[in-house]
Amino acid sequence: MALLDHIELTIEPGERIALIGRNGAGKSSLLKIIAGIDKSYNGEVEFNQDFKIGYLAQEPELDETKTVKEVVSEGVQHIMDILNEYNEINEKLGTPEVYENADVMEKFLNRQGELQDKIDATDAWELDTKLDKAMDALRCPDADTPIKVLSGGERRRVALCRLLLSEPDILLL
């Protein structure tokens, strides 16, 4: 017997949908299928366009060796990578291997300009402030608190903060 059978679901942009049912009815299974986490089903999931899907598990898995801020920062890792590359280029520009070779110097300056555009577009220079505001808004524990000491509710708030910062198009809770 299948938990879910002949499900057809259409969600329009901006809609909020709630799934209500008894324990074991398949609510979590359906969300995992939509999120692409559960692939052991017969059928298909179709999207009219490419969406970034964010899924918050009931018991989120968090790296026990990290702090709250380190886990929350994972939601903006793509921005942190841009900042790190920008800073690495700045360091390399001061080395003789770069400033003594016009071709290499031009390559690094061009890449630096591309990164600067991305930094400006994402307001990356204000990233720490954005993280602090998000953690405060969701009442996350102190940024330096180790994940391993958090309660279940605190873990969910940290995971939700990370998820929201990743700015998914579809949010499954």
Side-chain angles (χ1 to χ4, degrees):
M1 179 172 91
L3 288 177
L4 302 171
D5 194 18
H6 294 84
I7 299 291
E8 185 172 322
L9 181 64
T10 301
I11 303 171
E12 298 296 330
E15 284 185 328
R16 291 181 176 95
I17 305 295
L19 298 177
I20 301 171
R22 294 181 178 183
N23 287 350
K27 301 177 301 291
S28 294
S29 295
L30 179 60
L31 292 181
K32 289 177 185 175
I33 290 169
I34 293 170
I37 295 168
D38 184 350
K39 302 205 186 289
S40 61
Y41 61 91
N42 293 322
E44 56 188 77
V45 176
E46 293 180 17
F47 292 97
N48 289 343
Q49 52 188 337
D50 192 25
F51 289 107
K52 180 179 177 184
I53 298 175
Y55 172 72
L56 181 65
Q58 291 177 0
E59 298 298 327
E61 292 184 25
L62 305 177
D63 187 337
E64 299 273 324
T65 65
K66 292 186 176 183
T67 65
V68 168
K69 184 137 186 191
E70 289 170 332
V71 168
V72 168
S73 296
E74 292 170 358
V76 291
Q77 188 62 51
H78 63 288
I79 296 173
M80 294 176 64
D81 292 344
I82 292 168
L83 286 171
N84 289 337
E85 184 180 353
Y86 183 88
N87 290 331
E88 288 171 11
I89 288 174
N90 277 344
E91 289 179 22
K92 290 177 183 176
L93 289 175
T95 63
E97 301 84 38
V98 174
Y99 67 74
E100 290 177 355
N101 184 326
D103 292 337
V104 173
M105 183 72 153
E106 182 178 354
K107 176 183 153 199
F108 277 112
L109 289 174
N110 288 338
R111 181 63 182 152
Q112 187 181 46
E114 293 169 6
L115 294 170
Q116 181 65 56
D117 290 343
K118 291 179 182 181
I119 289 169
D120 292 342
T122 59
D123 201 21
W125 296 126
E126 298 299 320
L127 189 57
D128 281 334
T129 302
K130 182 178 182 176
L131 293 175
D132 290 341
K133 284 182 180 179
M135 289 187 299
D136 186 52
L138 289 171
R139 298 184 183 178
C140 291
D142 184 67
D144 296 327
T145 305
I147 293 298
K148 64 184 172 191
V149 303
L150 300 182
S151 69
E154 290 171 326
R155 286 172 173 264
R156 280 187 286 283
R157 286 196 305 274
V158 169
L160 179 59
C161 189
R162 173 184 64 187
L163 180 60
L164 292 173
L165 285 167
S166 73
E167 299 178 353
D169 299 309
I170 297 173
L171 183 60
L172 303 173
L173 304 173

